[in-house]
Amino acid sequence: MNNENTLGRINVLPLGRKKFSAENNSHKVDRDNSLPEILFITSFPPRECGIATYSQDLIKALKNKFSYSFKISICPLESDSEKYMYQEPIKYVLNADISDDFIKLAKSINNDDNIKMVMIQHEFGLLKKAFYFEHFLKLLNKPAVIAFHTVLPRPNEALRTSVKNIVNFCESVIVMTHISAGILTTDYEVTDDKITIIPHGTHLVPHSDKDFLKAKYHVSGRRVLSTFGLLSSGKSIETTLEAMTEIIKDNDDVLFLVIGKTHPSVAKEEGEKYRNFLENKVESLQLQNNVRFINHYLALPELLDYLQLTDIYLFTSKDPHQAVSGTFSYAISCGCPIISTPIPHAREVLKNGAGIIVDFENSGQLSTAVINLLGDETLLKEISSNGLHSMAHTAWENAAIAHALLFENISEGKIHLNYKIPAINLDHVKKLTTHFGMIQFSIINQPDISSGYTLDDNARALVAMCQHYELTHDAEDLKYIEIYLNFIRYCLQEDGSFLNYVDEDGVFTQQNYETNLADSNGRAIWALGYLISMSESLPQEMVFEVGKTIDSTLANLLEIHSTRAMAFIIKGLYYRNSVQHSVQDMLLITRLSNRLVQMYKHEAEPEWSWFESYLTYGNSILPEAMLCAWLATGEPIYQQIAKTAFDFLLSKIFTEKSIKVISNQGWLHKGEEENRVKIGGEQPIDITYTILALNKFYAVFKDESYKNKSKIAFDWFLGNNHLHQIIYNPCTGGCYDGLEESYINLNQGAESTVSYLMARLTLEKASRSNQKLEKPEKLYLKFNRQSHLV
């Protein structure tokens, strides 16, 4: 039990109880103390209940994404019979059985200038004495947000009055489903403007190989049904046991896993009575070979492993008023096809083919549903995919964003959101890379080798890996640089042009002869030139061979007239020219740049400072290329057009706090700005091109607005977009393929993943620009143009 202080039962832990990490230095403490503070009042681990783990996960996600925006402190709920020792630093402890505790806590919060807001996780079983709690809220002079984990329909007058009082004392109410929101409005007369719907959070998972996980947990060769959570009779596990007798008649390889220990409150009241009942039922139905109890607490990684190896997840709660289930949410986010009873959460989430609903305590319906699914692999995959997409927006990272936006809105200027930039992660880039090159597409985060390879992706990957090597000098990067470089050389034809599309067997596809490949050729020159610009730290034989490759293409470059292809070529030759001055390169830069100048002069008007009569894809590379041309040649008109055009573009895609690049669902035409597609169709690559250009323009002009916009643009990946959802997946290191009007494309292909990495590395280099970096000793490694990484 915690030591009491002068606040009576409201406890403050002594500083010595706090666990400091390596990051807990004086600078961090000063920064934390200067941040606005949000106090969470909630049950909290080691208390074993769903709200405790929910709060722990939410707080962790908020800290991971917004640690530079606000500070979170914790006030766990206890009772006379339940007291705990906490592993994490806490500020107060509230005994919900003592009236004076509520009064003292309210006074302490009111007197604490650092606390700007209170966040309360509400459950009737935790705050049984409603009058104490209502009085606490009445005394509180800080804004309060309350999350209702249960919303009971058709309340009696006492309950209705109590809930209405609670709501009236709070600035906002959070519920987790639209059904709960509807009950609040119809049965409790809560106005819509006071309700915010934030679904129960779910964990991002790597979607590991199912067979590998089954072997790891000794269930190989079995088709696994599972359910998990703290065990109580309300879960109606017996419904599944009765269904198992039919299921195993033609599916004797099925194994049903019952995962989780008995709920502590149930164990305290009745011991293991319910578990013993289930075990006896297993024996009487002769299901010993098909049912396994995992009767202990599973750490989160192990739990997520079990869910990922599950073939069908069963949710059989018999409580029709259970508003939401964390276990249910976690299972769907792990890709489990779901069969569930019709609790409100299930009815809301499992529509449109995302799962199957069966009646409460109906073992016949359950067995039929399981048997049908086990016999239809296509349907299993379809339900799994639909479920993943239906739950994508519920990732804890997105829940954190939704909460933070609410906090910012309620704070009236006291809280300003600053998205924390994730660590650099190459996992998915390396996962997409074979000995031959970078695979084009992924299904979710699993590389789809049948999609083959492209020059485009491998050229971008070469730039990204060169960026990473420039920052880290990690020798392993050279292996990947060599792979991507070898692929580019593989695509080089005898006439000095490049093909783009290669199938999984290394064969050039028909698509090469049906598609304009100018942009692909331009990207190749950009990548090769960027590599040469790093010649001081790369193997000299590699640099020499790359130079020969560019030289073999020069005769064809003036035959390319695609606007963006010319821009890529200018960038590539500029990078090479920065370390290897060439008269021929300078002439090419000048001739291609002059073409862009003529295009600009032809189209530009007072209200339209652009090279074409429309804004399409990859717009930022055009002014960036003109700026590179000026840096290479010193021609003033290049600089003038570069800045004028870039500022014009920025005016079309930035607001004060966000970016929306031109949609691939509709270009922005001159004179038709009002008809622009407003929402959806945004691609990570366009965000990245914008960040690359902003970085270059800031380096030249030292205009802070460019630097600020670069951070705003990067925040698009982190959730500052119209859906307020993450585009970058920090679990896999992959980036989702696109932001649509109402959903995120969850596939994490090469283009999006490498685009994110280029943007992240650009920000990293900029952040280190004022630091003196030691240059590595020059590497003279033998470069073998035919070698591959095995």
Side-chain angles (χ1 to χ4, degrees):
M1 177 178 143
N2 302 302
N3 296 324
E4 295 184 34
N5 63 9
T6 56
L7 296 178
R9 294 293 304 158
I10 304 172
N11 300 321
V12 180
L13 289 184
L15 188 60
R17 285 286 301 280
K18 183 172 181 177
K19 293 188 175 183
F20 283 88
S21 69
E23 291 185 344
N24 286 116
N25 52 42
S26 59
H27 171 75
K28 182 173 186 297
V29 171
D30 290 342
R31 186 199 71 212
D32 284 352
N33 289 339
S34 68
L35 293 174
E37 183 177 338
I38 302 171
L39 179 68
F40 270 62
I41 301 175
T42 178
S43 64
F44 203 77
R47 186 169 189 162
E48 294 176 334
C49 74
I51 293 177
T53 54
Y54 171 94
S55 295
Q56 185 179 52
D57 288 336
L58 175 58
I59 290 170
K60 180 180 178 181
L62 284 165
K63 288 180 176 179
N64 283 342
K65 288 200 71 70
F66 298 105
S67 59
Y68 304 131
S69 305
F70 46 77
K71 177 184 177 182
I72 293 176
S73 56
I74 304 168
C75 175
L77 289 168
E78 294 187 347
S79 66
D80 287 338
S81 60
E82 293 185 89
K83 305 182 191 307
Y84 303 94
M85 295 291 291
Y86 299 94
Q87 296 299 310
E88 297 189 37
I90 59 174
K91 188 160 189 171
Y92 305 113
V93 173
L94 172 63
N95 187 328
D97 288 335
I98 300 177
S99 174
D100 283 352
D101 265 25
F102 286 93
I103 297 171
K104 292 175 181 176
L105 178 59
K107 290 180 179 179
S108 296
I109 294 171
N110 292 341
N111 292 330
D112 191 330
D113 291 336
N114 291 327
I115 297 176
K116 305 302 181 186
M117 191 176 303
V118 178
M119 175 77 228
I120 304 158
Q121 303 296 330
H122 179 276
E123 180 60 76
F124 294 104
L126 296 174
L127 294 162
K128 297 178 182 179
K129 300 185 178 180
F131 176 76
Y132 295 173
F133 180 54
E134 291 172 41
H135 188 54
F136 161 77
L137 291 174
K138 183 177 181 180
L139 292 173
L140 203 61
N141 65 13
K142 304 288 177 75
V145 178
I146 190 162
F148 282 124
H149 286 254
T150 298
V151 181
L152 296 173
R154 299 178 296 279
N156 59 34
E157 192 56 37
L159 178 58
R160 179 186 292 106
T161 300
S162 176
V163 170
K164 289 176 69 173
N165 287 340
I166 290 170
V167 170
N168 288 337
F169 289 130
C170 293
E171 295 297 316
S172 184
V173 178
I174 295 173
V175 292
M176 299 180 195
T177 67
H178 291 274
I179 292 174
S180 293
I183 294 171
L184 278 180
T185 57
T186 56
D187 292 7
Y188 296 90
E189 300 174 345
V190 179
T191 57
D192 290 339
D193 61 345
K194 205 160 191 176
I195 301 172
T196 301
I197 302 171
I198 305 178
H200 193 296
T202 57
H203 294 281
L204 296 172
V205 296
H207 298 287
S208 304
D209 181 75
K210 192 183 291 281
D211 290 335
F212 169 81
L213 291 176
K214 285 186 177 182
K216 177 180 178 180
Y217 292 99
H218 311 294
V219 292
S220 293
R222 307 297 295 269
R223 287 184 289 176
V224 176
L225 315 178
S226 76
T227 192
F228 89 93
L230 295 172
L231 201 61
S232 68
S233 60
K235 292 187 176 295
S236 194
I237 305 298
E238 61 272 20
T239 300
T240 301
L241 298 182
E242 291 162 2
M244 284 291 290
T245 59
E246 287 297 317
I247 293 169
I248 65 173
K249 284 181 179 178
D250 295 313
N251 301 278
D252 59 2
D253 61 339
V254 167
L255 177 65
F256 176 43
L257 301 178
V258 183
I259 305 169
K261 60 189 290 187
T262 300
H263 195 291
S265 299
V266 174
K268 185 180 297 185
E269 293 179 7
E270 60 181 47
E272 295 293 338
K273 178 181 176 181
Y274 182 61
R275 184 179 297 277
N276 293 336
F277 161 73
L278 294 176
E279 290 176 347
N280 290 335
K281 196 169 190 69
V282 168
E283 188 172 343
S284 66
L285 295 174
Q286 299 182 353
L287 296 172
Q288 295 92 329
N289 293 328
N290 301 95
V291 177
R292 184 181 301 174
F293 290 89
I294 301 175
N295 184 16
H296 61 271
Y297 171 80
L298 297 184
L300 181 62
E302 187 177 5
L303 172 60
L304 296 178
D305 278 354
Y306 269 107
L307 291 175
Q308 289 178 83
L309 66 80
T310 294
D311 294 290
I312 302 174
Y313 185 82
L314 305 178
F315 184 82
T316 55
S317 169
K318 59 183 179 182
D319 179 5
H321 300 310
Q322 182 173 352
V324 68
S325 166
T327 64
F328 173 94
S329 300
Y330 289 4
I332 299 181
S333 68
C334 286
C336 297
I338 303 286
I339 300 175
S340 174
T341 48
I343 66 166
H345 192 194
R347 287 188 280 119
E348 194 161 296
V349 171
L350 298 186
K351 56 189 178 183
N352 301 322
I356 295 174
I357 299 287
V358 297
D359 289 338
F360 295 107
E361 300 182 88
N362 193 319
S363 59
Q365 286 185 12
L366 181 60
S367 64
T368 299
V370 170
I371 291 168
N372 288 342
L373 271 185
L374 291 175
D376 192 337
E377 188 67 26
T378 300
L379 182 58
L380 271 173
K381 291 180 179 179
E382 182 180 322
I383 290 177
S384 174
S385 177
N386 291 341
L388 283 171
H389 282 85
S390 73
M391 294 297 284
H393 67 288
T394 68
W396 278 117
E397 287 75 5
N398 293 333
I401 294 168
H403 280 82
L405 289 169
L406 180 61
F407 298 157
E408 182 183 43
N409 183 54
I410 290 173
S411 74
E412 297 181 343
K414 297 182 177 68
I415 292 175
H416 303 280
L417 297 189
N418 183 2
Y419 290 77
K420 183 179 176 182
I421 298 176
I424 296 167
N425 183 348
L426 300 185
D427 288 353
H428 195 55
V429 166
K430 293 181 177 181
K431 187 175 183 178
L432 283 164
T433 304
T434 70
H435 71 281
F436 182 61
M438 175 166 281
I439 297 170
Q440 183 176 192
F441 295 137
S442 282
I443 300 174
I444 307 298
N445 70 316
Q446 299 303 313
D448 180 12
I449 187 62
S450 68
S451 67
Y453 307 83
T454 68
L455 173 65
D456 288 334
D457 292 329
N458 283 270
R460 285 185 287 258
L462 180 61
V463 173
M465 199 55 70
C466 285
Q467 286 180 289
H468 189 262
Y469 181 68
E470 184 180 13
L471 287 169
T472 67
H473 315 306
D474 184 348
E476 186 180 3
D477 291 348
L478 294 173
K479 304 174 186 177
Y480 291 91
I481 288 172
E482 188 171 339
I483 287 175
Y484 306 137
L485 180 55
N486 282 338
F487 186 90
I488 293 172
R489 294 171 60 85
Y490 184 85
C491 293
L492 181 63
Q493 304 301 293
E494 290 185 3
D495 65 357
S497 66
F498 294 91
L499 297 182
N500 186 39
Y501 301 99
V502 184
D503 70 16
E504 60 183 299
D505 298 317
V507 177
F508 291 107
T509 69
Q510 183 62 31
Q511 192 173 359
N512 287 292
Y513 311 103
E514 300 169 349
T515 308
N516 189 323
L517 302 183
D519 285 5
S520 302
N521 278 254
R523 289 187 187 96
I525 301 301
W526 167 40
L528 296 172
Y530 192 90
L531 184 149
I532 291 176
S533 73
M534 295 173 52
S535 59
E536 286 190 6
S537 58
L538 289 172
Q540 293 305 292
E541 188 177 354
M542 175 187 286
V543 175
F544 176 74
E545 293 291 343
V546 171
K548 287 173 58 179
T549 301
I550 292 182
D551 288 341
S552 70
T553 70
L554 295 181
N556 292 323
L557 297 185
L558 290 178
E559 302 302 316
I560 293 176
H561 292 271
S562 163
T563 312
R564 283 149 189 79
M566 291 190 294
F568 281 123
I569 294 167
I570 292 168
K571 285 179 61 176
L573 297 179
Y574 155 77
Y575 279 116
R576 180 163 80 156
N577 192 68
S578 68
V579 294
Q580 296 178 2
H581 185 72
S582 162
V583 173
Q584 188 175 14
D585 284 0
M586 291 290 286
L587 289 172
L588 284 168
I589 289 173
T590 301
R591 292 189 65 178
L592 294 173
S593 300
N594 286 342
R595 288 183 188 174
L596 293 181
V597 170
Q598 291 305 312
M599 293 178 67
Y600 180 86
K601 289 182 174 180
H602 183 266
E603 294 294 343
E605 297 176 356
E607 302 298 323
W608 188 265
S609 303
W610 197 243
F611 305 86
E612 300 162 316
S613 63
Y614 41 72
L615 292 168
T616 61
Y617 65 94
N619 297 297
S620 295
I621 63 171
L622 302 184
E624 184 191 2
M626 292 303 296
L627 187 60
C628 290
W630 172 71
L631 292 170
T633 67
E635 177 59 48
I637 194 171
Y638 298 163
Q639 183 203 50
Q640 177 188 341
I641 291 175
K643 191 170 192 316
T644 303
F646 193 48
D647 290 345
F648 166 77
L649 173 63
L650 297 180
S651 74
K652 298 300 182 183
I653 62 177
F654 275 95
T655 64
E656 182 181 353
K657 294 183 178 180
S658 65
I659 183 174
K660 187 202 179 301
V661 291
I662 304 302
S663 169
N664 67 3
Q665 297 178 0
W667 308 137
L668 176 59
H669 291 265
K670 182 181 1 179
E672 299 180 9
E673 287 87 346
E674 297 303 318
N675 297 327
R676 176 184 174 186
V677 174
K678 299 294 184 183
I679 299 177
E682 295 178 68
Q683 304 296 300
I685 193 168
D686 283 304
I687 300 293
T688 292
Y689 286 151
T690 305
I691 290 171
L692 293 177
L694 284 164
N695 182 68
K696 181 68 71 178
F697 274 78
Y698 176 72
V700 171
F701 295 104
K702 301 302 180 185
D703 183 336
E704 287 295 319
S705 69
Y706 293 139
K707 184 178 180 180
N708 295 336
K709 282 182 170 63
S710 185
K711 178 59 168 63
I712 290 171
F714 189 79
D715 286 348
W716 180 91
F717 290 105
L718 308 181
N720 186 19
N721 51 62
H722 77 265
L723 289 183
H724 304 300
Q725 294 180 32
I726 56 170
I727 311 296
Y728 169 68
N729 184 324
C731 174
T732 65
C735 180
Y736 299 135
D737 279 352
L739 172 69
E740 304 302 337
E741 180 176 355
S742 59
Y743 69 95
I744 305 291
N745 182 339
L746 297 184
N747 296 326
Q748 297 161 51
E751 179 185 294
S752 56
T753 296
V754 174
S755 293
Y756 169 82
L757 181 60
M758 285 193 291
R760 176 65 183 87
L761 293 169
T762 299
L763 259 64
E764 186 71 17
K765 183 177 180 180
S767 72
R768 300 184 188 184
S769 62
N770 295 325
Q771 302 177 22
K772 184 177 179 180
L773 300 177
E774 294 184 11
K775 288 190 176 181
E777 184 178 346
K778 192 174 291 185
L779 296 172
Y780 292 97
L781 302 180
K782 181 174 177 58
F783 172 66
N784 179 358
R785 74 181 66 176
Q786 298 301 327
S787 67
H788 295 307
L789 176 64
V790 179

